[in-house]
Amino acid sequence: MRKLRLGMVGGGQGAFIGGVHRIAARLDGQWDLVAGALSSDPEKSIASAQELGIDSQRAYTDFKEMAKAEATRTDGIDAVAIVTPNHMHADPAVTFLESGIHVICDKPLASTDQDAVRIKQAAHASNASFILTHNYTGYPMVRQAREMFLSGCLGELRLLQVEYLQDWLSHPSSPDNKQAKWRTNPNLAGAGCIGDIGTHAFNLAHFITNQLPSKLSADLTSIVDARAVDDNANVLLRYPNGARGILWASQVAVGNENGLRLRIYGDKGGLEWHQEMPNQLMFTHFGQATQVLTRGSESMTAPIAHQATRLPAGHPEGYLEAFATLYKEAAELIRGNMHMSTLLPTLNDGLIGMEFIRAAIDSSKQDSVWVPLNCS
Amino acid sequence: MRKLRLGMVGGGQGAFIGGVHRIAARLDGQWDLVAGALSSDPEKSIASAQELGIDSQRAYTDFKEMAKAEATRTDGIDAVAIVTPNHMHADPAVTFLESGIHVICDKPLASTDQDAVRIKQAAHASNASFILTHNYTGYPMVRQAREMFLSGCLGELRLLQVEYLQDWLSHPSSPDNKQAKWRTNPNLAGAGCIGDIGTHAFNLAHFITNQLPSKLSADLTSIVDARAVDDNANVLLRYPNGARGILWASQVAVGNENGLRLRIYGDKGGLEWHQEMPNQLMFTHFGQATQVLTRGSESMTAPIAHQATRLPAGHPEGYLEAFATLYKEAAELIRGNMHMSTLLPTLNDGLIGMEFIRAAIDSSKQDSVWVPLNCS
Amino acid sequence: MRKLRLGMVGGGQGAFIGGVHRIAARLDGQWDLVAGALSSDPEKSIASAQELGIDSQRAYTDFKEMAKAEATRTDGIDAVAIVTPNHMHADPAVTFLESGIHVICDKPLASTDQDAVRIKQAAHASNASFILTHNYTGYPMVRQAREMFLSGCLGELRLLQVEYLQDWLSHPSSPDNKQAKWRTNPNLAGAGCIGDIGTHAFNLAHFITNQLPSKLSADLTSIVDARAVDDNANVLLRYPNGARGILWASQVAVGNENGLRLRIYGDKGGLEWHQEMPNQLMFTHFGQATQVLTRGSESMTAPIAHQATRLPAGHPEGYLEAFATLYKEAAELIRGNMHMSTLLPTLNDGLIGMEFIRAAIDSSKQDSVWVPLNCS
Amino acid sequence: MRKLRLGMVGGGQGAFIGGVHRIAARLDGQWDLVAGALSSDPEKSIASAQELGIDSQRAYTDFKEMAKAEATRTDGIDAVAIVTPNHMHADPAVTFLESGIHVICDKPLASTDQDAVRIKQAAHASNASFILTHNYTGYPMVRQAREMFLSGCLGELRLLQVEYLQDWLSHPSSPDNKQAKWRTNPNLAGAGCIGDIGTHAFNLAHFITNQLPSKLSADLTSIVDARAVDDNANVLLRYPNGARGILWASQVAVGNENGLRLRIYGDKGGLEWHQEMPNQLMFTHFGQATQVLTRGSESMTAPIAHQATRLPAGHPEGYLEAFATLYKEAAELIRGNMHMSTLLPTLNDGLIGMEFIRAAIDSSKQDSVWVPLNCS
């Protein structure tokens, strides 16, 4: 079985998420990185490619050129990973989709609704797949939670609380901080923490429950003076069945590193999961002792969780393994093993994320009025 | 130094919080329970008194009679504990205050604003003190948190999240469940979880920060069908300085026993405290390792925390000790040691709690519009 | 039902454990402290008594005088609490037992085997009861563990590990540290950490399993230079059925406050309990998820645990409540309610503790040779 | 920079640790697996190679043939990973070392001392390197602990406790359980849990402290009836400076998955690390609050920890990343970047492990007499 060939747009020297995508692609031995337009700066693009062992002929300085060349090679890339800042997702996504090359795109989908629509149209017109790396869905215990929820272990949804807390933007960022620079620029990022991490939280809740709120009420704030985007988002949720929720995203909560954590309560049971201790899932059946379900053990009963893990219980898997699961399943999708890839986040998840951002911003601008979420 | 003499209204056989008050009063050896109108049912009142070793002459069947008799005895009670359901706070409180007897009253202050006003007027007209048992303020590490916040360890307040989660009302209550019966009856309780536990959460945040939000936006829900009061409360907060908060109270969150938990973030630091692990306080100075401060150790630096503890580090204190601290400090107040009692929750805390309930209900009725909090 | 009358020997100003006994006696309203020989220093004895509200006539300066006087009063004490350093247990214990007054004695039983024998003989000759305050047996979840073990939830005993770690003696003690002074003096304490805390650990393991090792191998050390007693004890255990154990006691393990913790494994299941988080008991049935059993919840199934608790789940009880349970059950014993007091630690537990100390010291002196434990 | 070429002996279909080595080798993009003698069964060897994308010409059925062929190819392997059961380490190790090919060998070194000596002699005679995959040394917070200990943060070593608890051998194993089969066969494994996991625990303690005990006293047991090797090991340790230790390894401790955990105490401080929560390190400076040091944060100060990590704080790394660090550093060693590979476990660590096993078995056979450890 041949390895699949991956190209990459963005992710040159100094970037963060590009390196994560590369490890994730490598981890399960399904992908070779063979081409890249790693930077808009030609020299950096070449140097980065060389460092990564990419053949110099396939170290492009322009993603359009890359799409064209790769589409015509017999050994052209099977898929491209787009790991640029948000405002630079749409152009390469549309280009590669039009070239019939599968796209694996970092989240959120785009920095503007117009860009999102362009990607949507290109995806609909293309035979290639579009995958959005909502990587937290790759954690085995997140999938165990989904399976338990959907099979009724918790009963009907009543309450949901999801939070994603960081503290790295607690102070005005140094101009040298490349990550902070584009993530706090509304033109490049589109939104602040509501987009950068709030969409992850929203997606996680959706992934596990398969339910979306019908309305939200948001209070977005720029806590740090002179910051042009929100760095804290307090959001209330209402579900069609009457269930209620809270989503809290913050990048100024001192002492929190990457605190994505979710609690769900139904009439029969409750569960809790923390990204920083991802190998555990706490589950309580009403009136019984809380159980500590663990990845890889007999308490991890869901086949979709087993499919996403590599090690026996007690040998912790982490962020990279969860991310790698998306790449492994993307490979399955491309190879045609559709049943192995049903959980992959898609364009639709990206559009839902855009709608969530829009609604949150709209609500917040109107003093937290309840705003409907229109996710078709 | 003589022990002080305590009377009690309510708390007869089958009650819960009355027993807690009695242990709390005994624990530090400052109080003797010598009189009671323990039940509105005469037989039960007598039987309960006998069981508690109260002299039969001082086992009253009517609190008015009790107030009258005790006020005239030379060995009359120094204070009365009112531990009846919320709608029965005001009558005895007013009566004892008018008799010049100090009142230690369970929270929330009352079931209606009218009742609250009556207590307020009586308290203002009386020389006797009025103490409200917001018992969570008695925990040493809560006091350590207060001291740290007020002395600037966290910097300026930015974010606050407080939650109080239980699950005991997850299902419709049995008619035999005395606690559930009155707590879910709007006429007796005044409100649901927003009053029963939401006020505790609100008070805790206020106690530690010494700050009150200027506005709130609330979404109160009766999750369990046919419940007449709210059993889940999602509340957003805005502080005068621009800080933001979330308060979440629920009695239907399966797997939570008495999960009162608070997180506060400022520009310099953050802290976190859980009632179910009360001997710890997590503190993070921005950019440094999180520290686990522990009750009774050298890391518990605040004198007001030391004043509230009895044991060396590692010997866990709990709920009863925190509650007992209020009784100990009430004794100090009555003995005239004012400096030892500055932290006692007072009438004003009760009035603030009533205003919080009012605003939350008002906001919720108006589809979560922001409602100002008027706490003078 | 009248309160019982308690006297106390030791526990004057500056003492630690005396205050704990007094709170424990008060907490459940079963005892009044009415007499005391609180210090061998007459002035201190009087002053301490006054502070505690003991009538000056019953503030003795000599415990023999106290025993004599109290035995003849019609309102004489029902029991005496002996809270002196270890080398001063035997004299008052023998005296009060001979006077027919029940004795509640702090642990370990004595500082020498001769003293232990004297107490044993006096106890056998007396109608009065002798209770040893191995207070950790009073924790509800310890009792839950006992019930589960004895009813076979874990299957046959295979492995046991118990540790009791503190750090307060990590450095040479200041001469002003009264606690350190006598506890590190071999003439007063009899032994070091093996006696002070090792006996608690050994007792806890015995209490839960109802099994005693037949042999031990010990390596006792004085880690701190010039300390005259052991401050670290590494002990291996062998049980008659082939099970194996480790007991580790230390007072120089930096970062540990009062870390008494026990793990037991059988062929069917395992459990774990920490004194510093006493309201939880972790239980695993082989092949299933670990369960978090909690005090006061439906997962606390043992009647002997319910008998030892006061509050609903989630309202943490602690060290004082566990200690108070011994006083409550001592009252039941004296009142003749034998079924309520079957779990009280007795003379025999004290003798077993002495044998444990002896064997550990013997083994350690012989380079950790296996030494039989002779517990009749 | 070209990728290094890896071969593998063992690790065919149905094996466990071979797959781990392959992921570890891939993760950082430094290695390509290009050759293998994956099974002693020719068909399985070919099928396994095919599955892994190894060219059929380099899918050997005999490791000797493989060594010969690869040593002569211009694109021959740079190193071989030996992932066979313990009794099959020596033959391939000697063969590849003699062929001048670097060896990366799973632990423990061998199943017999004779085998260990053979490897030692071959290694000394060869220019090739020998690396032993004591993979837990690859965890960043283990390295942080080492750096802190060696730089004096804890002061002089006083106490050390290391435990490695599993429960997968709690019951007699099914004959189908391939892992259990060889690991409980004394001829194949050499020893039971003392070798399989005890050596990891011993190595971890050595790695962090850079100190070895001079003596040990061991009580090895076969808890499960009819098991031919030990499945529980209780070991006491004595260090040259008077420090004391306990090592506990068990494969029958129900409820433990892969519970490798270490605590070290010196006169100035203490630290604690759990393999199942590997991104944290608890550190206490005497008299101060315990600090939670976290991987990737500013509290992770050691350069040797930074060298071993890939992600920002809060993005958990796990077992595979730690294992991959050894492969990354092996690559650095082979490339000649010696300063990046100083921490790699070597032959000497393997020999120390063998000596530890020998001494533990000797001591246990002599009723736990203290046995010197001779580690040159």
Side-chain angles (χ1 to χ4, degrees), chain D residues 243-320:
Chain D
R244 292 299 195 267
I246 299 175
L247 182 150
W248 179 22
S250 187
Q251 292 176 320
V252 297
V254 176
N256 291 279
E257 296 180 338
N258 198 42
L260 173 58
R261 174 180 165 190
L262 176 130
R263 292 176 278 178
I264 304 180
Y265 304 107
D267 59 306
K268 290 191 190 160
L271 58 76
E272 183 168 353
W273 181 78
H274 291 211
Q275 189 268 152
E276 296 189 9
M277 295 177 58
N279 295 282
Q280 290 190 352
L281 176 68
M282 310 300 282
F283 170 68
T284 313
H285 187 90
F286 182 68
Q288 298 182 7
T290 294
Q291 297 175 46
V292 188
L293 312 182
T294 52
R295 188 201 51 73
S297 76
E298 295 181 45
S299 65
M300 188 181 79
T301 51
I304 56 172
H306 279 281
Q307 159 187 337
T309 189
R310 296 148 192 87
L311 296 175
H315 299 71
E317 295 192 18
Y319 179 93
L320 292 170

Side-chain angles (χ1 to χ4, degrees), chain D residues 96-114:
Chain D
F96 283 91
L97 286 169
E98 288 177 353
S99 304
I101 292 171
H102 302 296
V103 171
I104 300 170
C105 183
D106 210 71
K107 47 49 61 187
L109 184 59
S111 61
T112 64
D113 285 334
Q114 296 92 307

Side-chain angles (χ1 to χ4, degrees), chain C residues 2-9 25 30-36 58 66 70 75-82 96-97 100-105 128-131 327 330-331 333-334:
Chain C
R2 77 164 174 91
K3 285 195 185 183
L4 297 179
R5 292 180 289 266
L6 183 68
M8 183 168 277
V9 175
Q30 302 271 12
W31 294 91
D32 270 331
L33 179 67
V34 298
R58 297 172 88 174
M66 171 177 165
E70 291 293 328
D75 65 348
I77 56 174
D78 294 288
V80 67
I82 298 177
F96 282 91
L97 286 169
I101 292 171
H102 302 295
V103 171
I104 299 170
C105 183
S129 297
F130 182 90
I131 295 156
Y327 270 91
L333 179 73
I334 292 170

Side-chain angles (χ1 to χ4, degrees), chain D residues 15 21 29 37 43 55 67 127 190 208 221 228 238 251 266 286 295 346 353:
Chain D
H21 279 254
E43 274 187 41
D55 190 294
N127 287 326
I208 293 177
T221 325
R238 287 185 182 163
Q251 292 176 320
F286 182 68
R295 188 201 51 73
T346 64

Side-chain angles (χ1 to χ4, degrees), chain C residues 11 13 62 77 85 161 247 301:
Chain C
Q13 291 163 341
D62 176 73
I77 56 174
Q161 193 258 10
L247 183 151
T301 52

Side-chain angles (χ1 to χ4, degrees), chain A residues 140-363:
Chain A
M141 298 317 278
V142 164
R143 294 178 169 211
Q144 173 71 17
R146 174 180 162 94
E147 179 73 17
M148 290 176 74
F149 185 86
L150 296 184
S151 68
C153 294
L154 278 72
E156 197 189 0
L157 180 64
R158 287 178 158 186
L159 302 175
L160 184 149
Q161 192 258 10
V162 60
E163 64 187 45
Y164 196 153
L165 306 185
Q166 302 179 328
D167 70 0
W168 69 293
L169 292 176
S170 291
H171 292 173
S173 311
S174 146
D176 302 339
N177 186 330
K178 187 178 164 180
Q179 292 302 318
K181 204 169 172 184
W182 76 258
R183 285 177 207 262
T184 57
N185 181 331
N187 296 327
L188 308 190
C193 80
I194 192 76
D196 192 24
I197 57 176
T199 51
H200 267 313
F202 191 78
N203 175 263
L204 185 68
H206 180 206
F207 179 79
I208 292 177
T209 61
N210 210 24
Q211 294 184 37
L212 286 168
S214 46
K215 292 185 192 178
L216 62 72
S217 157
D219 190 22
L220 309 187
T221 326
S222 297
I223 293 286
V224 171
D225 285 347
R227 181 160 288 156
V229 294
D230 60 285
D231 49 24
N232 188 80
N234 291 353
V235 186
L236 302 185
L237 308 172
R238 286 183 181 166
Y239 286 83
N241 75 338
R244 293 298 195 268
I246 300 175
L247 183 150
W248 178 23
S250 186
Q251 292 175 319
V252 296
V254 176
N256 292 278
E257 296 179 338
N258 198 41
L260 172 58
R261 174 181 166 187
L262 176 128
R263 291 177 278 178
I264 304 180
Y265 304 107
D267 58 308
K268 290 189 190 163
L271 59 76
E272 182 167 354
W273 181 78
H274 292 212
Q275 192 268 154
E276 296 189 7
M277 294 178 57
N279 295 282
Q280 291 190 350
L281 176 67
M282 310 301 282
F283 170 67
T284 313
H285 186 91
F286 181 67
Q288 298 182 7
T290 294
Q291 297 174 45
V292 187
L293 312 181
T294 53
R295 188 201 51 73
S297 76
E298 295 180 44
S299 65
M300 188 181 81
T301 52
I304 55 173
H306 279 280
Q307 160 187 336
T309 187
R310 296 147 192 87
L311 295 175
H315 299 70
E317 294 192 18
Y319 179 91
L320 291 170
E321 287 76 17
F323 216 118
T325 291
L326 298 199
Y327 269 90
K328 187 173 65 176
E329 294 180 353
E332 300 288 354
L333 180 73
I334 291 169
R335 295 186 199 282
N337 300 327
M338 304 304 288
H339 65 290
M340 294 291 284
S341 58
T342 54
L343 299 178
L344 276 175
T346 64
L347 174 70
N348 199 41
D349 295 295
L351 294 169
I352 290 171
M354 294 303 290
E355 172 63 2
F356 166 71
I357 296 171
R358 181 209 57 81
I361 293 175
D362 276 6
S363 170

Side-chain angles (χ1 to χ4, degrees), chain C residues 157-178:
Chain C
L157 180 64
R158 288 179 159 188
L159 302 174
L160 185 150
Q161 193 258 10
V162 59
E163 64 187 44
Y164 196 152
L165 306 185
Q166 301 179 329
D167 71 359
W168 67 293
L169 292 175
S170 290
H171 292 174
S173 312
S174 147
D176 302 339
N177 186 331
K178 189 179 162 175

